[in-house]
Amino acid sequence: MSRQPILPPRLRRGDTIGLFCPSGPVRSAEQLRAGIRLIEDVGFVVKLKGPTAPNDGYLADSDQGRAAHLHALWSDDEVRAIIAIRGGYGCLRMIGRLDWELFRRNPKFLVGFSDVSMLLNCLVDRADLVAVHGPMASTLARSDEPSRASLFALLTGNLEERIKPKGLEILRGGSGRGRLVGGNLTTLLHLMATPWDRLWDGCILVLEDTNEPLYRIDRMLTHLALAGRLQRLAGLILGDFDLGGDELANLRLQEALWVRVLELAPPGYPIWARFPAGHRQRNLALPIGMEAEMASDSGTLALLPASTIPV
């Protein structure tokens, strides 16, 4: 994407946020209710679209139905932003049914991560809109307070422009500036060689994943490298990679992953790890499509709203 992306209008207290399932169905009604309560406590009104009762399938609705739910929320003038209820597989099946011109004509924030990474990056590429990689309705209650605060700050136009995470690992120093792209590693890999594929040249790539053993992560990263997708980045940020609750196993996975990334990534740009983005409690909201600058000497990611066109 070469054009400046549009930064959707900021939300105000009393505005309506739409919720829908773009991929998998609701698994926990209680987690969804807890997320809705948190959204309402901040001062927003919630509007649900589509099936929200748990089911035994791996899709929330038909491909046509899930696309229609998103179109309906986007066409609703009362709805000022849309937050995915959860991820899970499914966005790839409906992506060809989406009306990107509708999205472009009526800028709104779409929020999600995991499988929803696909929609976020395509909104930037196809509709010239900044999208939000951050907590979803069913994960809000288990997200930590800084992650929840960062989401609502971004939606209301009060984003923290300088992010300096605790525990950040600088794998390779230096500085780099480019548009933020990326999200879930598995999901992004599935876009390659499709009409919705895109190059990441000159971008800062964010990657995270969960419940993937090291050999699978190695295979996916090696695939990216062989496809030339790591060649001309402005920077690489690794979020959370975990295998579940065993912290020692998670640490071993991360350290082996870092070694492999340094083997694969050519010189010329900074590489960070343990950035608070992913499937765990730490999941800071990031504006996909907005330019950012990595400064390794201070461990600071500076967001650059001036790189967008505000509405």
Side-chain angles (χ1 to χ4, degrees), residues 191-258:
L191 282 178
M192 289 181 62
T194 73
W196 296 275
D197 193 5
R198 63 158 299 179
L199 297 177
W200 299 322
D201 295 2
C203 294
I204 294 175
L205 176 62
V206 181
L207 294 176
E208 63 83 28
D209 219 320
T210 187
N211 289 324
E212 294 286 356
L214 178 61
Y215 81 91
R216 292 183 185 173
I217 297 173
D218 184 345
R219 180 171 61 198
M220 289 187 280
L221 290 171
T222 302
H223 187 175
L224 289 181
L226 292 174
R229 301 309 173 89
L230 303 181
Q231 293 299 314
R232 290 171 288 278
L233 297 177
L236 177 59
I237 297 176
L238 303 176
D240 281 324
F241 286 81
D242 72 275
L243 292 168
D246 187 332
E247 290 304 318
L248 180 57
N250 290 338
L251 182 59
R252 288 172 175 165
L253 171 74
Q254 292 166 11
E255 290 179 343
L257 164 65
W258 300 346

